[in-house]
Amino acid sequence: MIVSYEELTPEAKIFIYPASRKFFPVELPEIKEELSKFCKELDGIDICFDLKYDRFIVFIISVETPLNLEQHNLIVDFVQTLEKRYDLVLLDKVNVCFKQGQYVQMKEIPDFKVLIKNKGVSKKTIVFDHMINTKNEYEDSWEVPAGESWVSHFF
């Protein structure tokens, strides 16, 4: 069942899928509709979703209605369907997503290291940590300066 973001506790589980490109404006209404339909069909789960920066699909799931393995697999299958339909990658969480001005970029780690070397990014550059686990971390620790993130050892 779809619930509002505000209804979910800080301990609610987060699953973030970074897209290899920004969703095109023409795709957004259709993707939102598909996400809504999918979430409504997940029986026994209190869930909401967000499309952040037109680049990230975020599922937030109540700890009172945790996913079982089958439901988790349904989410992964759904995300794979979106990858094929929109010709993008959503399941690769190893790439570095970061902000450059108002834009969100994604680079493979070797390319990100080149940006560091060439001073294209700094320890102050905002990066995204897709390995966070809770709504509280999503609000407080998802977007952090690179120098305080999982990429800090590259500097």
Side-chain angles (χ1 to χ4, degrees), residues 44-102:
I45 301 298
D46 291 340
I47 187 171
C48 71
F49 68 89
D50 192 10
L51 279 175
K52 196 75 165 178
Y53 300 112
D54 297 339
R55 182 95 185 219
F56 304 96
I57 295 175
V58 182
F59 292 108
I60 308 99
I61 300 165
S62 172
V63 292
E64 284 82 30
T65 58
L67 294 176
N68 61 35
L69 182 58
E70 181 182 339
Q71 292 161 327
H72 185 270
N73 289 341
L74 286 172
I75 290 176
V76 172
D77 291 346
F78 173 73
V79 170
Q80 288 175 323
T81 300
L82 293 177
E83 285 183 318
K84 290 175 189 163
R85 184 172 298 139
Y86 297 101
D87 192 29
L88 48 83
V89 177
L90 289 162
L91 292 171
D92 185 353
K93 296 184 179 190
V94 180
N95 291 327
V96 182
C97 293
F98 59 98
K99 286 184 176 177
Q100 282 192 319
Q102 65 183 17

